[in-house]
Amino acid sequence: MSDLIRTTRADLGWSGAALAERLGVTVGAISQLERSEREGTIKMDSLERALASMGRRLTLSARADSALGDYTPAAVTDQVNDALDDRDGSFALRIITHAASVLRDDVDGLSDAELRERPSQIKDQRWEQLFRAVYGGAIPPERRPDWAEPQRLNRRWYVSRFARFARRRK
């Protein structure tokens, strides 16, 4: 469903223990709360209470379903997180590249609001940056939202075996 608790916690720099202390529960309860949110079984009042303890408010909205609804940044983020939960990196990569291809072919099929809306991030920073670069790169610069700007990772994720891509050493 979503990953608002974990994403908000990460944005604030909070650990699970810090949130647990604010809510008066155990760290295990926070882990279960975040898992139930991802699985779509969380109670709304639990989600609202967790967000409120972090100074955030839950807002819901509804809009007409579009033909490209499965390719919005929010939908793709959720699909990639599900694939990573299943430890299926190759499927996560296919999701990102396919969604970017669909978006590149019909970017006008999504509204600016749909492109901007992204309530959660991909839980693994490496995958998050890949998503921003590949999917975000498929959005024309004049319509590209702020979230689509890749950020530098603190260490290299991938080392190429191909000479053209490998870092040259002196």
Side-chain angles (χ1 to χ4, degrees), residues 18 24 34 41 50 54 63 67 75 79 94 104-105 110 123 127 130 132 134 147-148 150-152 156 163:
E34 290 176 352
T41 59
M54 294 183 281
R63 68 172 61 99
Q79 292 172 44
R94 287 195 314 269
R104 207 173 286 109
D105 291 344
L110 292 176
K123 64 182 94 190
W127 284 95
L130 180 66
R132 289 175 183 214
V134 175
W147 68 257
Q151 298 167 349
R152 189 173 195 82
R156 285 191 298 168

Side-chain angles (χ1 to χ4, degrees), residues 121-138:
Q121 292 185 352
I122 297 171
K123 64 182 94 190
D124 183 312
Q125 269 308 100
R126 300 168 303 178
W127 284 95
E128 173 64 24
Q129 295 313 312
L130 180 66
F131 176 76
R132 289 175 183 214
V134 175
Y135 183 95

